Amino acid sequence: GQQVMQIPQYQHVQEGEDFTTYCNSSTTLSNIQWYKQRPGGHPVFLIQLVKSGEVKKQKRLTFQFGEAKKNSSLHITATQTTDVGTYFCAPYGYSGAGSYQLTFGKGTKLSVIP
Amino acid sequence: SQTIHQWPATLVQPVGSPLSLECTVEGTSNPNLYWYRQAAGRGLQLLFYSVGIGQISSEVPQNLSASRPQDRQFILSSKKLLLSDSGFYLCAWGLAGGRSDTQYFGPGTRLTVL
């Protein structure tokens, strides 16, 4: 089945510093999605990457999909306290059980020190 | 627009008691529906998903069950709760038939089993 590893598990940064989280899959993916969960809240969809080598930007957030479609990254430039939360990658691919599924990584918990 | 509701928001139950959590979706038809569990500080574990009324797929064997009695209603149940059932239960919906399967989460139910 599909396995996904997300690193780091935790990240503490000073406000204004950059932050990057990485997501690696053992299989080639159809696409990959990113979600953000604020403390005490529920995951919220951020973006979907479909094409090999794709790069998308949302203000200070930059999302990349690897050329081999097996890894992805989320980079935040000049973090702010509003960026606090857990960021999940969610690859969409063959589950090995006869279906395609979204599989959530364990997430990277970001803390921003003011 | 689509909305997803979950109730109750919080629940404290003794070990061995039954459980029923409800999720309803508005503004869409024939959605894919999902139940996830998130232990404290952990990632999202897919418990069940459904592609239609009465169609339930279980991802993790355990003492929980799910039912979909109506198109936009998804219920998570247990006959006897265990301490290990404590966690944050999230319901999500996605468009049927799509390859990307972006998921939209409800506000969640925080369950504490004592």
Side-chain angles (χ1 to χ4, degrees):
Chain A
Q2 184 172 264
Q3 302 286 332
V4 59
M5 179 179 292
Q6 196 172 348
I7 54 172
Q9 191 174 358
Y10 302 96
Q11 185 76 59
H12 304 275
V13 300
Q14 201 76 33
E15 188 173 18
E17 291 181 342
D18 293 356
F19 158 77
T20 305
T21 174
Y22 300 90
C23 184
N24 299 303
S25 172
S26 58
T27 59
T28 302
L29 306 170
S30 297
N31 66 65
I32 191 164
Q33 302 173 28
W34 286 90
Y35 291 74
K36 176 184 178 181
Q37 184 177 21
R38 294 181 185 274
H42 58 276
V44 174
F45 173 77
L46 292 176
I47 210 160
Q48 176 181 283
L49 305 171
V50 179
K51 300 177 183 177
S52 168
E54 188 171 15
V55 178
K56 288 188 176 180
K57 292 189 176 183
Q58 288 181 351
K59 298 182 180 178
R60 293 178 295 104
L61 277 61
T62 301
F63 303 84
Q64 291 190 336
F65 202 8
E67 292 290 340
K69 300 184 74 172
K70 285 188 174 182
N71 56 72
S72 180
S73 65
L74 158 59
H75 179 82
I76 302 178
T77 304
T79 55
Q80 300 175 359
T81 55
T82 53
D83 296 324
V84 165
T86 301
Y87 292 85
F88 293 97
C89 67
Y92 186 78
Y94 185 62
S95 69
S99 66
Y100 282 80
Q101 286 185 15
L102 206 60
T103 304
F104 284 84
K106 293 188 183 299
T108 295
K109 187 174 182 180
L110 173 64
S111 300
V112 179
I113 306 164
Chain B
S1 62
Q2 300 88 0
T3 54
I4 179 168
H5 305 278
Q6 281 187 250
W7 63 91
T10 59
L11 191 60
V12 180
Q13 292 284 94
V15 169
S17 63
L19 173 74
S20 181
L21 303 181
E22 190 162 345
C23 170
T24 59
V25 181
E26 297 177 357
T28 186
S29 296
N30 194 32
N32 292 333
L33 296 173
Y34 307 85
W35 277 112
Y36 290 87
R37 177 170 60 201
Q38 186 176 35
R42 303 290 294 277
L44 296 167
Q45 180 187 34
L46 178 64
L47 301 175
F48 302 94
Y49 70 94
S50 170
V51 298
I53 295 174
Q55 301 179 59
I56 309 294
S57 296
S58 174
E59 291 297 305
V60 183
Q62 55 202 319
N63 68 319
L64 298 173
S65 62
S67 62
R68 184 170 178 173
Q70 300 181 43
D71 180 44
R72 288 169 287 181
Q73 183 185 30
F74 206 21
I75 297 172
L76 183 69
S77 304
S78 175
K79 292 181 179 179
K80 288 185 177 181
L81 284 168
L82 306 173
L83 286 174
S84 57
D85 291 324
S86 292
F88 190 36
Y89 287 83
L90 290 154
C91 179
W93 74 271
L95 290 173
R99 293 290 289 177
S100 65
D101 203 25
T102 299
Q103 294 182 17
Y104 304 92
F105 287 83
T109 295
R110 295 196 182 278
L111 171 66
T112 303
V113 182
L114 301 174

